[in-house]
């Protein structure tokens, strides 16, 4: 019979997934910052890059709580989402639609993170790891706030600018 796997195994697996994803994201954000046309969007990406560094540290703290080494596990989902963002950067470079496209790509990243952190936070609570749940919730709130800020930027400038004159 296969070794019995439990919620602890799922939790550790998913933690490794988001750890890999966050490190990928921290490398992608400076590229998006450079590509963005509007100063406000550049600033939003710069701010989230700094937050992402902190989020990586929080994940390392969660690994520590578990007594496991901080190790990532290749996340195909984030690879795909980031590859699509790079496609937008290439294909819409120098066009009025670039910022709207960058925002849509960044929001796909945020939504992926929100689903991961939402799940991890609940599992941490069920597993009685309240300190870990608190750390995961802090990051979850940052991701949600970032998503909301991006929507505001899309509404206030990028989508209008992207429309044909
Ligand atoms: Fe993040
Ligand atoms: Fe994020």
């Amino acid at each position: 019979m296969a070794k019995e796997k439990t919620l602890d195994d799922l939790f550790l697996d998913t933690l490794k997934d988001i750890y890999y994803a966050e490190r990928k994201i921290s490398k992608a954000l400076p590229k998006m910052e450079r590509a963005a046309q509007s100063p406000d969007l550049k600033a939003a990406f710069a701010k989230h890059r700094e937050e992402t560094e902190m989020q990586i540290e929080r994940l390392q703290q969660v690994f520590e709580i578990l007594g496991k080494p901080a190790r990532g596990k290749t996340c195909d989902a984030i690879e795909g989402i980031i590859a699509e963002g790079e496609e937008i950067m290439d294909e819409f470079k120098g066009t009025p639609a670039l910022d709207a496209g960058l925002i849509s790509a960044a929001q796909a990243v945020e939504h992926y993170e929100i689903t991961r952190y939402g799940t991890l936070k609940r599992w941490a609570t069920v597993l009685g790891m309240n300190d870990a749940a608190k750390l995961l919730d802090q990051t979850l709130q940052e991701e949600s706030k970032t998503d909301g800020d991006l929507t505001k930027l899309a509404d206030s400038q990028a989508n209008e600018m992207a429309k044909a004159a």
Side-chain angles (χ1 to χ4, degrees), residues 22 25 29 48 51-52 55 106 109-111 113-114 117 139 142-144 146-147:
E22 288 287 15
I25 293 162
L29 278 167
H48 200 49
E51 285 172 344
T52 299
Q55 295 173 354
V109 173
E110 295 316 309
H111 283 232
E113 293 180 296
I114 289 166
Y117 282 108
T139 298
E142 272 174 10
E143 310 294 22
S144 299
T146 302
D147 180 49

